Each structure stands twice: as structure tokens, then as C-alpha cells.
Amino acid sequence: MTIVIGGAWPYANGSLHLGHVAALLPGDILARYYRQKGARVLYVSGSDCNGTPISIRAAQENTTTEAIANHYHEEFTRCFNDLGFTYDLYTRTDAMHHHDSVQAIFLQLLANNFLYKKKIEQAYCETDQQFLPDRFVEGVCPNCGAKARGDQCDNCSTILDPLDLIDKRCKICGNEPIIRETEHFYFAFSQFQGRLDTYLAQAKVEKRWRDNALGLTERYLAEGVPDRAVTRDLPNGIDVPVPGFEGKKIYVWIEAVAGYLTASIEWARQHQIAIEDLWNEETVSYYVHGKDNIPFHTVIWPAILMGIGAKALPTHIVSNEYLTLEKRKLSTSQNWAVWVPYILSRYDADSIRYFLTMNAPENRDTDFSWREFIYSHNGELLGAYGNFVNRTLKFIEKSFEGQVPQAEVDGNIRKHTIQLFNVVGNLIEAGHFKQALEAIFEYIRAANRYFDEQQPWLQVKENVEAGNQTMATCVYMIANLGQLLHPFLPFSAEKVRKMVGKHELMWHEQVELPASISEVAPLFERLDVELIEEEFQKLVKDSNK
């Protein structure tokens, strides 16, 4: 059995912000955990380098789509690496292997009679002399009245057609487009209505999807699944491999979501493994993304997989709500965002991972504030976790000359630790990452209380045997924290394992105590609380530029 984990593909048209990381971080937690358990894991994603957003950015900066895509793909790769993301393959949609696989999927859907040609009316800008891709058309959502793009309303999550918009405008020049006839391929989504209804019913029973995914998908299916155009008159992207459709491209409905499979095919090719060994009826798959991407993963992608006869339908949907910033909606256009390259240049990656897991928008929108970020670092990471590790190991250095007493570990704590691996593992597999990390930090707080109650500084003088047991128990807890925290806080967990000489990764209790400890160093540095105001003022200043 393979665990396939797919992280949503960010558009390579601008830097990543914390909202992206909050949505994508669960993928890495899952990948690290399942590898630690010994499972076969394939964790894939990539940069979306095709389509409209990059064309818009290139036009704004008077450069090429390739230059924009290259710049941001390289930046994304650095950021994910610095955050500790462990993709097996992080690729890009303008890679030749992706183009080849998407065209093969398209031709397979055509051969299976799920694609048909249709003449349609499309928005055309006479000023710019081009058919307008969906995202090049902006206007008012007919469903809720909010400002919307031609493909989707972010306010009410309705999937749109550009012609549905009220008061349509060309995003390039701002003029009103005309309507002109063109021919495109349509995907017969409506043929999958019954199978998708059954698929959703099964997901409800198994409770493997987040509630927002279940609710939104139920709404989409209740409205009826319409057929959708899956080719477009686009300036860049994957050519439609059918004579007479030269210059037209395969649209994002098929092209972008197919990246999970195309990346898997490429990884399998590189490792000389048959794709059927990875993607089959036994495959467990996690799709990790924000709530604006739910219909693509629960309706469109499953229908495409059904259409090509693939067995590995999405089993787990990990769809986050939104992350707000200082109680305001994130806005890239207004520069109201904390950009990932910036925060990584100033703060510990584990601090970012900790905050975005403990405050993850798993079931509702949550807020990032600099005050909470600084205080959570100082209070929980440094004050609880870092403090317990440091005080224990420094005490052994000083009172035991770095030698770990080989005493029997407290039985209740052993029992609790063994249970904790099961509890945390089950929570991770069910997509409850915040609860999983909270359970570990409750263990850490209990460890600090144990240290205080035992008073080893007195025991070493008055009751040597009791002191030996206390310190053996504390080192035992630290060794196990080096395993338990690896999926969440990999950088500090690695430091812990190094200090206690436990380099192997596994997802069960570490019984054997190390003989000695080495190179004890603080896991975290205290952050000056003056940074709170400094960072907030920078945010305000940057947004006013």
C-alpha cells in the first residue's frame, strides 16, 4: 500500500505568504509521520507555471511568462526546503513530462467518449485583440454580488463561467469585452453525477474529509454537475493534441489537478517503478489545500480519474479554512501579507511550523498576529519544550558528568508515553494536526511538572536512587519527544535526537536510554517582545506603499 500525499500547486506569479504555508503544512506532517511508521510514501507537488495569473504578471512587468515562472519556482523551492517540506518530487507544470502526461490523459478521455466539441460564446477583448481566459474577466458574482473572477467567486465559492458575471471587464485594459463565437472541447462531467453522489456518500460514512469539503461538495452535487469547457484560447499552457485545435490550450480544470498524477508518473519513471504499483485501489491518498480549491479535488479531479479508469480516487481531503492576518483578510494586492521569504530570514522554521499548526484553520478561519507568534515562541517552544530539554540535560552534565543514570523509568510515565504514540498517530492520520500537537505539548508540560515535583537537585544529595530514576525518566521523555515531534518540529527534534544519541527515526516508544549526552545547546533563543510592534508597523507601512 502506498500513501500518496498531494500538496496544492501554488501559482508561480508571486511570493508565497503564510496563508499558503498554513494550507500546505499538513502535507509535510503526514509525509514525515508515515515515513516514520515505515510506510511507502509518495509526497508530490509543484509550481503552477501555466495559465492566466503568470501571463498577467508577465504583462505587468513587461517580461516573459518563462522568466516569471522560473523566478518564483526557484523561490518556492528554496522556501519549502527552508521550511523543512520533504517532497519526494516538487516539479512544475511547464515541465515536458507534465505536458506529455496531460496530453495523454486528454486523449484517453477523448477515446473514452467523455470529451466533445462545442461552439460557444466567449469574452473577447477588442482592445487587446484576444479571447479572454476566465481569470482575465472580472465582474460581479451573480450568486452573491461580490467582486469575482471569471472562474470562481472567492466570497461564496461558486464555480463560474465568465459570461455569468455582471458588469464584465477585461483585467488587462479595464474595457468591457464583447462576446464572440469559438469552438472548444467540453468534458461531460454530468455523466459522472451518479458516481460522484455515491463517492460523496462513502466519504460521509468514512469521515475522511474535512467538514467544509463535505458541505461544499454536497452543495455542488445538489445543484447538478454541469459539463465544462476544458480547452481555452490561452497565451501559454499545454497544446490541445487534436488537429484543428492548434493554438488552443488544455484548461486548468484538467491540466492543474492532473499534476498529482503526472508528478507521480514522473517519480515512478525516475525510480523505474510501474505507476500502477503506486496508484491502485489500495492507495491511501491525502489532498492538502485551501477551501477555495475544494471542488477541484472533490468533484473535478475524481470525475477525471473515473473518466480515465484510474482506481486511486482521493480518500482524504485536508481542506483548510482561511488564515487572516491581524484580524484582516490576507490581501496580496494590498500587500497585507507576511511573505514567506521574509519571515524565514528572521525566525526559526520550527517557530513558524509550530504556530501554524497550533493555530491551523482546520475547521474555521484563524488569525496570525505578531503578538501571538512571539508569545507562543517564548512561552511554549522556549518556555515549555526548550526549557524541559535544556534543564534536564544541563543538570545531567553538571551533576552526572554527562552520564545518563541507567535506572528504571517511572512506570506511569512509560504507560502514558506508549499511549501518546497511539493517540498522536491516530489524530495525524485523521487530519487533526492541532489536537495531535496539543497532546504532545500537554505531555511536555507534565514533564516539567514532574521535574519540579521530584526536585532532583535535592534528590542527588538526599536520595541518590530516587534522583537516578528522576533523571532517567526525564531523559526517556526527551528521547521520545525527539520522535513524537519529528513530523511537526523537525529541526529541533533532530537536535534533540543528536543530544541524546538517538538517530534512528521510528513511531514507537524509545525504551533504551543513551549512555551519555553530548553537546547540550538551547533549542531556541528568546525573542524580544519589542519585535511585536516593530513587525506590526512594518506590515502597516508596507501595505500603504
Side-chain angles (χ1 to χ4, degrees), residues 191-257:
Q191 289 191 36
F192 298 93
Q193 178 82 46
R195 289 174 69 182
L196 288 168
D197 285 335
T198 303
Y199 173 61
L200 174 64
Q202 186 181 355
K204 280 181 167 178
V205 170
E206 293 174 348
K207 296 181 178 172
R208 290 173 162 190
W209 296 10
R210 290 258 170 95
D211 287 344
N212 57 4
L214 289 169
L216 263 178
T217 306
E218 191 167 28
R219 194 185 96 195
Y220 286 126
L221 295 182
E223 290 168 359
V225 185
D227 293 355
R228 293 273 175 191
V230 290
T231 60
R232 288 289 194 279
D233 297 282
L234 288 169
N236 68 315
I238 300 175
D239 293 328
V240 177
V242 176
F245 278 74
E246 292 80 9
K248 295 181 190 286
K249 310 293 182 187
I250 299 172
Y251 191 49
V252 67
W253 299 121
I254 290 181
E255 187 259 309
V257 289

Side-chain angles (χ1 to χ4, degrees), residues 279-291:
W279 283 62
N280 53 53
E281 57 272 5
E282 292 182 2
T283 301
V284 173
S285 56
Y286 287 84
Y287 287 85
V288 180
H289 50 85
K291 75 172 176 184

Side-chain angles (χ1 to χ4, degrees), residues 449-481:
R449 287 196 299 273
Y450 174 79
F451 190 99
D452 292 339
E453 288 161 5
Q454 295 301 310
Q455 299 180 301
W457 56 93
L458 295 179
Q459 286 177 329
V460 292
K461 298 172 187 171
E462 299 168 4
N463 187 342
V464 173
E465 198 174 309
N468 287 349
Q469 183 180 43
T470 296
M471 298 321 295
T473 300
C474 287
V475 171
Y476 163 87
M477 285 191 274
I478 288 169
N480 281 287
L481 284 171

Side-chain angles (χ1 to χ4, degrees), residues 262-388:
T262 70
S264 299
I265 291 168
E266 175 61 11
W267 186 90
R269 185 194 65 77
Q270 290 174 6
H271 293 82
Q272 298 179 316
I273 295 171
I275 187 63
E276 293 77 19
D277 290 346
L278 301 171
W279 283 62
N280 53 53
E281 57 272 5
E282 292 182 2
T283 301
V284 173
S285 56
Y286 287 84
Y287 287 85
V288 180
H289 50 85
K291 75 172 176 184
D292 52 336
N293 276 327
I294 288 170
F296 299 98
H297 295 87
T298 64
V299 178
I300 291 168
W301 182 227
I304 292 167
L305 288 169
M306 291 170 187
I308 62 173
K311 300 284 193 291
L313 297 183
T315 55
H316 294 73
I317 300 294
V318 182
S319 42
N320 275 330
E321 295 287 317
Y322 292 134
L323 184 77
T324 57
L325 174 59
E326 300 287 0
K327 300 287 192 267
R328 271 176 59 185
K329 188 176 179 180
L330 275 161
S331 172
T332 55
S333 60
Q334 295 170 23
N335 207 18
W336 188 257
V338 175
W339 303 103
V340 175
Y342 172 78
I343 196 169
L344 278 169
S345 72
R346 290 174 61 92
Y347 299 95
D348 192 302
D350 274 358
S351 300
I352 301 165
R353 290 176 69 113
Y354 175 81
F355 187 89
L356 292 179
T357 303
M358 278 297 204
N359 298 276
E362 289 186 0
N363 303 305
R364 58 181 175 79
D365 291 356
T366 56
D367 188 61
F368 177 93
S369 76
W370 282 108
R371 171 176 290 278
E372 292 301 319
F373 176 73
I374 301 293
Y375 277 118
S376 81
H377 171 94
N378 287 344
E380 292 291 293
L381 286 181
L382 176 69
Y385 168 36
N387 178 49
F388 175 64

